[in-house]
Amino acid sequence: MPVSYRLAAFYFAFFVWAGLMVAYFPAYLAARGLGAAQIAWVLALPQLARIVAPAAWGWIADRTGAQRAIVVFACLANVACFALLPQVPGFVAILWLIGVASVLSAAALPLVEAITLGALAGQAGRYGPIRMWGSIGFIAAVLAGGAWLDFQSVLTLPHGLLAFALATVAVALALPNRTAPAARGSIRVPLDPKMAALLGAGFCMAAAHGTFHTFYTLHLQRAGYSGWLIGFLWTLGVLAEIGIFLWLPAIFRRYALSQILMASAGLGVVRFLLIGWGVDSLALLLAAQLMHGITFGAFHAAAIAGVHRVFPPHAQARGQTLFSSVAYGAGGAAGALAAGWAWDASGPGVAFSLSSIAAMAGLLFAYSLKRAGL
């Protein structure tokens, strides 16, 4: 089987698993008897684990050259977690189980990003048609999972999570073994200005999406939108992401990575203002969701391609895992916390305005990358 098919299969299986987690795991925890504060703690653990754990696993991967083995181990940690989950009693046991699994599995996706970019041999534009299968898997999980739970108890959710965790293990075993030789001697990689600016842009853009990921559904519910329409708007954003991934080879041929990052951040400034202050207009919300393909999809693809370019060959795993830690770990957590504070203090308009300000900061970092020639 061509390596692109194997990589696409991993993204599909992984994001089916992730989609089930995002959409339905809170309901499962509630059905297990956890209160709102306890559910929040359980859901915060994977985010907190992403701040430190991926970079540590990336160091090990670069030191040993065992990227694939670590991905398989990470996926096996999820298998063990969801095999045990129905058996563990109470909040504390669930908290420990999810916490340990989150630390052990945090490197799976960023290491596969490193493997993917290495396998593409400099043709970063080919990343989009491979990565879009993750978005397709996410949509499939949300839609099929909802249909399944119309007929089955939410307490059956761990069975689905276990099945797709096992699928990720099976596909991970078929991934390329390594993208670069293990590092010899000193493996210290000082951050240069390009690396720092790229990490800064990633942090700001992940923080900018914090209000959206945390409060978008609640924002629309308060505005009176139906559950069906809210689901459609979420799906529209992921479909826009898939469209961008399909066109990514042409986009990468035509524009520099820094230009893509700047356009994504600039559109983020507009998008979050539209969501925050234009919630009463369905037309504006539709436009804002179509922008998701650029503010998230194009930005993510350009950013990981940038990581592949600015980090040396012996530090590719560390580069991708460090970006994951700084952006999706620290940036995502900071954005969610700031969103909660602003939402309680001043309401959704101000919370989404803070997201817009964070996107503007990301634009400034992206502009510095343009000046640096990325």
Side-chain angles (χ1 to χ4, degrees):
M1 181 186 296
V3 67
S4 60
Y5 288 17
R6 287 177 273 155
L7 291 164
F10 181 89
Y11 283 116
F12 180 85
F14 183 89
F15 279 97
V16 170
W17 174 85
L20 292 174
M21 281 289 290
V22 169
Y24 305 114
F25 195 56
Y28 169 81
L29 295 174
R32 288 287 303 268
L34 275 64
Q38 293 173 323
I39 292 172
W41 271 107
V42 173
L43 297 180
L45 287 176
Q47 194 87 323
L48 294 172
R50 290 176 77 176
I51 296 176
V52 176
W57 284 114
W59 184 91
I60 295 171
D62 280 332
R63 189 65 174 174
T64 63
Q67 289 95 328
R68 184 178 68 182
I70 294 172
V71 172
V72 172
F73 174 80
C75 296
L76 284 171
N78 282 330
V79 169
C81 173
F82 293 104
L84 293 172
L85 183 60
Q87 315 304 323
V88 297
F91 165 64
V92 174
I94 292 173
L95 193 71
W96 271 102
L97 183 62
I98 296 298
V100 172
S102 296
V103 171
L104 296 180
S105 65
L109 186 58
L111 284 180
V112 171
E113 302 279 37
I115 291 171
T116 301
L117 269 294
L120 295 180
Q123 297 177 292
R126 293 172 55 204
Y127 170 83
I130 294 172
R131 174 58 176 80
M132 77 170 185
W133 285 98
S135 301
I136 293 171
F138 190 93
I139 292 176
V142 172
L143 297 179
W148 171 262
L149 293 178
D150 282 340
F151 301 97
Q152 300 291 331
S153 167
V154 73
L155 292 175
T156 63
L157 180 67
H159 302 313
L161 291 168
L162 175 59
F164 282 96
L166 284 167
T168 62
V169 173
V171 181
L173 288 168
L175 293 176
N177 192 33
R178 62 174 62 173
T179 59
R184 302 296 180 190
S186 174
I187 60 169
R188 183 172 176 267
V189 181
L191 286 179
D192 65 22
K194 282 185 182 180
M195 296 175 186
L198 191 56
L199 293 173
F203 176 92
C204 291
M205 284 299 284
H209 284 77
T211 309
F212 174 77
H213 289 142
T214 308
F215 292 115
Y216 184 64
T217 296
L218 180 59
H219 186 41
L220 297 183
Q221 287 174 336
R222 288 189 175 185
Y225 290 95
S226 68
W228 176 88
L229 189 52
I230 293 171
F232 171 76
L233 287 168
W234 275 102
T235 302
L236 181 64
V238 183
L239 288 173
E241 183 182 306
I242 293 172
I244 286 294
F245 286 146
L246 280 171
W247 285 99
L248 207 59
I251 294 171
F252 273 23
R253 283 195 300 269
R254 184 167 183 178
Y255 300 103
L257 295 180
S258 59
Q259 291 177 306
I260 299 171
L261 295 173
M262 289 175 61
S264 302
L267 206 59
V269 174
V270 176
R271 181 189 182 205
F272 296 122
L273 288 175
L274 289 179
I275 295 173
W277 300 100
V279 68
D280 293 327
S281 169
L282 179 58
L284 292 180
L285 290 178
L286 289 169
Q289 282 304 89
L290 288 173
M291 295 178 190
H292 181 77
I294 299 175
T295 66
F296 177 79
F299 185 91
H300 173 76
I304 69 160
V307 170
H308 184 74
R309 185 176 298 179
V310 303
F311 278 80
H314 68 274
Q316 288 296 303
R318 263 173 300 162
Q320 296 295 346
T321 53
L322 180 61
F323 183 81
S324 177
S325 294
V326 171
Y328 301 122
L337 291 172
W341 170 80
W343 186 279
D344 285 338
S346 304
V350 172
F352 278 100
S353 294
L354 282 182
S355 290
S356 184
I357 292 171
M360 178 63 74
L363 176 60
L364 295 176
F365 278 114
Y367 178 72
S368 70
L369 288 168
K370 182 176 184 296
R371 291 176 60 87
L374 182 66

